[in-house]
Amino acid sequence: MNTVILIGFMGAGKTTVGMALSKRDNIPLVDTDQRIIEKAGMSISEIFARKGEEAFRQIESQVLSELLDQKNPIVVSVGGGLPLKEENRRMLKRIGTVIYLKVRPETVLERLKGDTTRPLLAGPDEKQKVRELLEKRGPIYQEAADLVLCVDGKSVEEIVGELEERIREQA
Ligand code: S3P
């Protein structure tokens, strides 16, 4: 399999699906959020609080650009906001096959209930924030993707199976 990049909204399961795919095909997983945490030496919430979102976005693009030199196939899972910059979308296409894990707002809310690690959803009216952000970002994810996979109500195994089938069909 060539390099696969998973994009989509918070709670779509990018990291979970990425881990399963990486295990199944025995290829390394790179999670951009994890790389950012390592680089900055603090959590994502801390980066947002202490340095601001723009600083986070800069590290995010930097981490992505480091994957352009990657020689061997990898699985990449990226933060939900990464495809919003055009510069990043261009890099994604150069790095590998971009898969959009599409999710409904209800699924996001259910999965992220009680979660405190997403600064963009912190505070009151999480429901409204999820709906607004998803509406705004949906077309951008769509534009960035080579393949779109709806994940609502599906198990990780089902998603991975479908994903591999779709990639094979496309090749
Ligand atoms: C963000 C998504 C998060 C993380 C940061 C910002 C976003 O990643 O990068 O909190 O803008 O959607 P996940 O999509 O892995 O939750």
Side-chain angles (χ1 to χ4, degrees), residues 8-12 14-15 31-33 36 44 48 53 56-57 60 77-82 84 112 117-120 133 137 141:
F9 202 72
M10 293 170 262
K14 299 171 299 253
T15 303
D31 183 277
T32 56
D33 280 348
I36 295 167
I44 293 190
F48 269 71
E53 180 171 353
F56 172 81
R57 298 296 173 200
E60 192 172 51
S77 98
V78 308
L82 183 142
L84 302 181
L112 297 186
T117 64
R118 268 78 170 196
L120 290 182
L133 277 178
R137 292 177 172 190
Y141 291 147

mmCIF file of all heavy atoms in Angstrom, residues 8-12 14-15 31-33 36 44 48 53 56-57 60 77-82 84 112 117-120 133 137 141, ligand 1:
data_model
loop_
_atom_site.group_PDB
_atom_site.id
_atom_site.type_symbol
_atom_site.label_atom_id
_atom_site.label_comp_id
_atom_site.label_asym_id
_atom_site.label_seq_id
_atom_site.Cartn_x
_atom_site.Cartn_y
_atom_site.Cartn_z
ATOM 1 N N GLY A 8 -10.313 14.605 8.355
ATOM 2 C CA GLY A 8 -11.708 14.659 8.775
ATOM 3 C C GLY A 8 -11.849 15.379 10.103
ATOM 4 O O GLY A 8 -10.856 15.805 10.708
ATOM 5 N N PHE A 9 -13.089 15.484 10.533
ATOM 6 C CA PHE A 9 -13.382 16.276 11.726
ATOM 7 C C PHE A 9 -12.884 15.574 12.997
ATOM 8 O O PHE A 9 -12.650 14.365 12.998
ATOM 9 C CB PHE A 9 -14.901 16.495 11.817
ATOM 10 C CG PHE A 9 -15.283 17.670 12.654
ATOM 11 C CD1 PHE A 9 -15.064 18.964 12.207
ATOM 12 C CD2 PHE A 9 -15.854 17.494 13.909
ATOM 13 C CE1 PHE A 9 -15.403 20.057 12.989
ATOM 14 C CE2 PHE A 9 -16.206 18.585 14.697
ATOM 15 C CZ PHE A 9 -15.983 19.866 14.230
ATOM 16 N N MET A 10 -12.775 16.368 14.072
ATOM 17 C CA MET A 10 -12.455 15.808 15.392
ATOM 18 C C MET A 10 -13.466 14.704 15.715
ATOM 19 O O MET A 10 -14.661 14.879 15.482
ATOM 20 C CB MET A 10 -12.590 16.899 16.467
ATOM 21 C CG MET A 10 -11.565 18.002 16.352
ATOM 22 S SD MET A 10 -11.918 19.403 17.443
ATOM 23 C CE MET A 10 -12.736 20.543 16.321
ATOM 24 N N GLY A 11 -12.980 13.597 16.212
ATOM 25 C CA GLY A 11 -13.885 12.519 16.592
ATOM 26 C C GLY A 11 -14.302 11.617 15.436
ATOM 27 O O GLY A 11 -15.096 10.703 15.637
ATOM 28 N N ALA A 12 -13.756 11.842 14.258
ATOM 29 C CA ALA A 12 -14.112 10.985 13.109
ATOM 30 C C ALA A 12 -13.443 9.618 13.210
ATOM 31 O O ALA A 12 -13.832 8.675 12.527
ATOM 32 C CB ALA A 12 -13.717 11.654 11.791
ATOM 33 N N LYS A 14 -9.857 9.273 13.076
ATOM 34 C CA LYS A 14 -8.648 9.254 12.233
ATOM 35 C C LYS A 14 -7.513 8.481 12.910
ATOM 36 O O LYS A 14 -6.862 7.645 12.291
ATOM 37 C CB LYS A 14 -8.188 10.689 11.909
ATOM 38 C CG LYS A 14 -9.217 11.496 11.142
ATOM 39 C CD LYS A 14 -8.796 12.956 11.051
ATOM 40 C CE LYS A 14 -8.664 13.597 12.394
ATOM 41 N NZ LYS A 14 -9.582 14.526 12.873
ATOM 42 N N THR A 15 -7.281 8.763 14.183
ATOM 43 C CA THR A 15 -6.176 8.108 14.887
ATOM 44 C C THR A 15 -6.466 6.624 15.106
ATOM 45 O O THR A 15 -5.601 5.778 14.860
ATOM 46 C CB THR A 15 -5.895 8.818 16.231
ATOM 47 O OG1 THR A 15 -5.631 10.191 15.950
ATOM 48 C CG2 THR A 15 -4.700 8.215 16.942
ATOM 49 N N ASP A 31 1.090 10.431 13.584
ATOM 50 C CA ASP A 31 -0.063 11.230 13.988
ATOM 51 C C ASP A 31 0.449 12.659 14.171
ATOM 52 O O ASP A 31 1.307 12.910 15.012
ATOM 53 C CB ASP A 31 -0.593 10.646 15.314
ATOM 54 C CG ASP A 31 -1.835 11.345 15.786
ATOM 55 O OD1 ASP A 31 -1.715 12.407 16.418
ATOM 56 O OD2 ASP A 31 -2.923 10.852 15.525
ATOM 57 N N THR A 32 -0.054 13.570 13.342
ATOM 58 C CA THR A 32 0.538 14.926 13.365
ATOM 59 C C THR A 32 0.352 15.599 14.729
ATOM 60 O O THR A 32 1.252 16.272 15.216
ATOM 61 C CB THR A 32 -0.027 15.830 12.241
ATOM 62 O OG1 THR A 32 -1.454 15.883 12.335
ATOM 63 C CG2 THR A 32 0.383 15.345 10.868
ATOM 64 N N ASP A 33 -0.815 15.393 15.364
ATOM 65 C CA ASP A 33 -1.022 15.994 16.693
ATOM 66 C C ASP A 33 0.039 15.504 17.686
ATOM 67 O O ASP A 33 0.565 16.269 18.482
ATOM 68 C CB ASP A 33 -2.421 15.654 17.234
ATOM 69 C CG ASP A 33 -3.493 16.550 16.636
ATOM 70 O OD1 ASP A 33 -3.141 17.565 16.002
ATOM 71 O OD2 ASP A 33 -4.690 16.240 16.805
ATOM 72 N N ILE A 36 3.273 17.166 17.078
ATOM 73 C CA ILE A 36 3.242 18.556 17.557
ATOM 74 C C ILE A 36 3.479 18.590 19.068
ATOM 75 O O ILE A 36 4.257 19.399 19.575
ATOM 76 C CB ILE A 36 1.882 19.220 17.190
ATOM 77 C CG1 ILE A 36 1.750 19.339 15.676
ATOM 78 C CG2 ILE A 36 1.745 20.590 17.861
ATOM 79 C CD1 ILE A 36 0.348 19.695 15.183
ATOM 80 N N ILE A 44 -1.844 19.915 23.403
ATOM 81 C CA ILE A 44 -2.449 20.816 22.416
ATOM 82 C C ILE A 44 -3.216 21.939 23.117
ATOM 83 O O ILE A 44 -3.114 23.104 22.729
ATOM 84 C CB ILE A 44 -3.332 20.003 21.459
ATOM 85 C CG1 ILE A 44 -2.388 19.116 20.656
ATOM 86 C CG2 ILE A 44 -4.161 20.920 20.554
ATOM 87 C CD1 ILE A 44 -2.932 18.394 19.520
ATOM 88 N N PHE A 48 -2.500 26.011 22.625
ATOM 89 C CA PHE A 48 -3.546 26.991 22.310
ATOM 90 C C PHE A 48 -3.592 28.072 23.401
ATOM 91 O O PHE A 48 -3.690 29.268 23.100
ATOM 92 C CB PHE A 48 -4.925 26.308 22.219
ATOM 93 C CG PHE A 48 -5.287 25.836 20.833
ATOM 94 C CD1 PHE A 48 -4.642 24.760 20.245
ATOM 95 C CD2 PHE A 48 -6.306 26.449 20.111
ATOM 96 C CE1 PHE A 48 -4.993 24.304 18.967
ATOM 97 C CE2 PHE A 48 -6.669 26.003 18.836
ATOM 98 C CZ PHE A 48 -6.007 24.925 18.268
ATOM 99 N N GLU A 53 -3.730 29.877 18.734
ATOM 100 C CA GLU A 53 -4.002 28.919 17.646
ATOM 101 C C GLU A 53 -3.028 29.099 16.482
ATOM 102 O O GLU A 53 -2.592 28.130 15.873
ATOM 103 C CB GLU A 53 -5.455 29.066 17.151
ATOM 104 C CG GLU A 53 -5.753 28.091 16.034
ATOM 105 C CD GLU A 53 -7.226 28.011 15.626
ATOM 106 O OE1 GLU A 53 -8.075 28.625 16.297
ATOM 107 O OE2 GLU A 53 -7.499 27.332 14.625
ATOM 108 N N PHE A 56 0.054 27.203 16.936
ATOM 109 C CA PHE A 56 -0.242 25.772 16.738
ATOM 110 C C PHE A 56 -0.277 25.444 15.245
ATOM 111 O O PHE A 56 0.297 24.455 14.793
ATOM 112 C CB PHE A 56 -1.580 25.422 17.397
ATOM 113 C CG PHE A 56 -2.055 24.034 17.075
ATOM 114 C CD1 PHE A 56 -1.560 22.929 17.764
ATOM 115 C CD2 PHE A 56 -2.979 23.815 16.059
ATOM 116 C CE1 PHE A 56 -1.983 21.639 17.445
ATOM 117 C CE2 PHE A 56 -3.406 22.534 15.735
ATOM 118 C CZ PHE A 56 -2.910 21.443 16.431
ATOM 119 N N ARG A 57 -0.955 26.290 14.457
ATOM 120 C CA ARG A 57 -1.088 26.037 13.020
ATOM 121 C C ARG A 57 0.266 26.076 12.314
ATOM 122 O O ARG A 57 0.478 25.374 11.327
ATOM 123 C CB ARG A 57 -2.049 27.058 12.376
ATOM 124 C CG ARG A 57 -3.473 27.009 12.899
ATOM 125 C CD ARG A 57 -4.161 25.703 12.589
ATOM 126 N NE ARG A 57 -5.475 25.586 13.222
ATOM 127 C CZ ARG A 57 -6.098 24.434 13.425
ATOM 128 N NH1 ARG A 57 -5.542 23.293 13.069
ATOM 129 N NH2 ARG A 57 -7.274 24.406 14.006
ATOM 130 N N GLU A 60 1.954 22.871 13.009
ATOM 131 C CA GLU A 60 1.221 21.843 12.262
ATOM 132 C C GLU A 60 1.719 21.762 10.808
ATOM 133 O O GLU A 60 2.006 20.681 10.301
ATOM 134 C CB GLU A 60 -0.273 22.202 12.325
ATOM 135 C CG GLU A 60 -1.203 21.121 11.851
ATOM 136 C CD GLU A 60 -2.666 21.453 12.124
ATOM 137 O OE1 GLU A 60 -3.116 22.562 11.752
ATOM 138 O OE2 GLU A 60 -3.373 20.596 12.683
ATOM 139 N N SER A 77 -2.240 10.248 10.254
ATOM 140 C CA SER A 77 -3.521 10.803 10.681
ATOM 141 C C SER A 77 -3.259 12.250 11.089
ATOM 142 O O SER A 77 -2.303 12.545 11.806
ATOM 143 C CB SER A 77 -4.131 9.936 11.787
ATOM 144 O OG SER A 77 -3.880 10.453 13.029
ATOM 145 N N VAL A 78 -4.080 13.159 10.558
ATOM 146 C CA VAL A 78 -3.812 14.591 10.783
ATOM 147 C C VAL A 78 -4.916 15.241 11.602
ATOM 148 O O VAL A 78 -6.056 14.777 11.600
ATOM 149 C CB VAL A 78 -3.616 15.366 9.448
ATOM 150 C CG1 VAL A 78 -2.585 14.692 8.560
ATOM 151 C CG2 VAL A 78 -4.913 15.554 8.695
ATOM 152 N N GLY A 79 -4.588 16.331 12.276
ATOM 153 C CA GLY A 79 -5.571 17.082 13.054
ATOM 154 C C GLY A 79 -6.687 17.608 12.158
ATOM 155 O O GLY A 79 -6.472 17.869 10.969
ATOM 156 N N GLY A 80 -7.877 17.770 12.747
ATOM 157 C CA GLY A 80 -9.058 18.152 11.977
ATOM 158 C C GLY A 80 -8.954 19.486 11.254
ATOM 159 O O GLY A 80 -9.640 19.717 10.259
ATOM 160 N N GLY A 81 -8.061 20.375 11.720
ATOM 161 C CA GLY A 81 -7.976 21.694 11.100
ATOM 162 C C GLY A 81 -6.877 21.787 10.053
ATOM 163 O O GLY A 81 -6.775 22.784 9.340
ATOM 164 N N LEU A 82 -6.066 20.751 9.953
ATOM 165 C CA LEU A 82 -4.896 20.835 9.056
ATOM 166 C C LEU A 82 -5.251 21.079 7.588
ATOM 167 O O LEU A 82 -4.613 21.914 6.942
ATOM 168 C CB LEU A 82 -4.048 19.563 9.219
ATOM 169 C CG LEU A 82 -2.768 19.505 8.421
ATOM 170 C CD1 LEU A 82 -1.648 18.853 9.220
ATOM 171 C CD2 LEU A 82 -2.950 18.780 7.094
ATOM 172 N N LEU A 84 -7.374 22.873 6.284
ATOM 173 C CA LEU A 84 -8.012 24.167 6.016
ATOM 174 C C LEU A 84 -7.094 25.121 5.256
ATOM 175 O O LEU A 84 -7.557 25.980 4.520
ATOM 176 C CB LEU A 84 -8.477 24.819 7.324
ATOM 177 C CG LEU A 84 -9.455 23.976 8.157
ATOM 178 C CD1 LEU A 84 -9.879 24.716 9.402
ATOM 179 C CD2 LEU A 84 -10.677 23.575 7.338
ATOM 180 N N LEU A 112 -17.262 12.504 21.520
ATOM 181 C CA LEU A 112 -16.409 13.444 22.273
ATOM 182 C C LEU A 112 -17.046 13.907 23.584
ATOM 183 O O LEU A 112 -16.565 14.850 24.201
ATOM 184 C CB LEU A 112 -16.052 14.657 21.402
ATOM 185 C CG LEU A 112 -15.234 14.369 20.142
ATOM 186 C CD1 LEU A 112 -14.822 15.649 19.450
ATOM 187 C CD2 LEU A 112 -13.986 13.545 20.464
ATOM 188 N N THR A 117 -9.798 17.588 25.587
ATOM 189 C CA THR A 117 -8.524 17.802 24.892
ATOM 190 C C THR A 117 -8.668 18.618 23.610
ATOM 191 O O THR A 117 -7.678 18.865 22.934
ATOM 192 C CB THR A 117 -7.869 16.443 24.533
ATOM 193 O OG1 THR A 117 -8.728 15.759 23.606
ATOM 194 C CG2 THR A 117 -7.670 15.573 25.758
ATOM 195 N N ARG A 118 -9.909 19.008 23.247
ATOM 196 C CA ARG A 118 -10.095 19.780 22.011
ATOM 197 C C ARG A 118 -10.457 21.226 22.334
ATOM 198 O O ARG A 118 -11.630 21.537 22.584
ATOM 199 C CB ARG A 118 -11.221 19.167 21.162
ATOM 200 C CG ARG A 118 -10.783 18.164 20.142
ATOM 201 C CD ARG A 118 -10.481 16.840 20.715
ATOM 202 N NE ARG A 118 -10.283 15.808 19.683
ATOM 203 C CZ ARG A 118 -10.312 14.514 19.956
ATOM 204 N NH1 ARG A 118 -10.505 14.093 21.182
ATOM 205 N NH2 ARG A 118 -10.097 13.652 19.007
ATOM 206 N N PRO A 119 -9.456 22.124 22.321
ATOM 207 C CA PRO A 119 -9.710 23.520 22.716
ATOM 208 C C PRO A 119 -10.786 24.197 21.868
ATOM 209 O O PRO A 119 -11.512 25.056 22.371
ATOM 210 C CB PRO A 119 -8.355 24.214 22.529
ATOM 211 C CG PRO A 119 -7.477 23.258 21.807
ATOM 212 C CD PRO A 119 -8.033 21.891 22.006
ATOM 213 N N LEU A 120 -10.921 23.804 20.599
ATOM 214 C CA LEU A 120 -11.908 24.479 19.741
ATOM 215 C C LEU A 120 -13.347 24.159 20.134
ATOM 216 O O LEU A 120 -14.272 24.870 19.755
ATOM 217 C CB LEU A 120 -11.692 24.109 18.274
ATOM 218 C CG LEU A 120 -10.440 24.675 17.622
ATOM 219 C CD1 LEU A 120 -10.371 24.263 16.167
ATOM 220 C CD2 LEU A 120 -10.399 26.191 17.715
ATOM 221 N N LEU A 133 -18.812 24.311 12.659
ATOM 222 C CA LEU A 133 -17.488 23.977 12.128
ATOM 223 C C LEU A 133 -17.590 22.925 11.029
ATOM 224 O O LEU A 133 -16.937 23.027 9.996
ATOM 225 C CB LEU A 133 -16.578 23.455 13.246
ATOM 226 C CG LEU A 133 -15.860 24.494 14.111
ATOM 227 C CD1 LEU A 133 -15.053 23.793 15.204
ATOM 228 C CD2 LEU A 133 -14.917 25.342 13.270
ATOM 229 N N ARG A 137 -16.359 23.265 7.281
ATOM 230 C CA ARG A 137 -15.209 22.478 6.846
ATOM 231 C C ARG A 137 -15.529 21.362 5.858
ATOM 232 O O ARG A 137 -14.640 20.922 5.113
ATOM 233 C CB ARG A 137 -14.542 21.858 8.079
ATOM 234 C CG ARG A 137 -13.885 22.887 8.961
ATOM 235 C CD ARG A 137 -13.333 22.189 10.168
ATOM 236 N NE ARG A 137 -12.511 23.048 11.000
ATOM 237 C CZ ARG A 137 -11.774 22.602 11.998
ATOM 238 N NH1 ARG A 137 -11.774 21.316 12.279
ATOM 239 N NH2 ARG A 137 -11.047 23.433 12.710
ATOM 240 N N TYR A 141 -12.841 19.576 3.289
ATOM 241 C CA TYR A 141 -12.359 18.192 3.408
ATOM 242 C C TYR A 141 -12.605 17.451 2.092
ATOM 243 O O TYR A 141 -11.761 16.725 1.600
ATOM 244 C CB TYR A 141 -13.103 17.457 4.531
ATOM 245 C CG TYR A 141 -12.800 17.917 5.936
ATOM 246 C CD1 TYR A 141 -13.791 17.891 6.919
ATOM 247 C CD2 TYR A 141 -11.527 18.356 6.316
ATOM 248 C CE1 TYR A 141 -13.534 18.282 8.226
ATOM 249 C CE2 TYR A 141 -11.264 18.753 7.615
ATOM 250 C CZ TYR A 141 -12.274 18.713 8.573
ATOM 251 O OH TYR A 141 -12.026 19.101 9.859
HETATM 252 C C1 S3P B 1 -8.313 20.527 15.655
HETATM 253 C C2 S3P B 1 -8.363 19.136 15.774
HETATM 254 C C3 S3P B 1 -7.543 18.390 16.740
HETATM 255 C C4 S3P B 1 -6.264 19.173 17.063
HETATM 256 C C5 S3P B 1 -6.603 20.571 17.508
HETATM 257 C C6 S3P B 1 -7.378 21.363 16.441
HETATM 258 C C7 S3P B 1 -9.213 21.185 14.664
HETATM 259 O O1 S3P B 1 -7.193 17.121 16.205
HETATM 260 O O2 S3P B 1 -5.407 19.209 15.973
HETATM 261 O O3 S3P B 1 -7.356 20.493 18.685
HETATM 262 O O4 S3P B 1 -9.002 22.357 14.322
HETATM 263 O O5 S3P B 1 -10.173 20.503 14.206
HETATM 264 P P1 S3P B 1 -8.230 15.894 16.048
HETATM 265 O O6 S3P B 1 -8.955 16.095 14.758
HETATM 266 O O7 S3P B 1 -7.356 14.692 16.020
HETATM 267 O O8 S3P B 1 -9.141 15.920 17.213
#
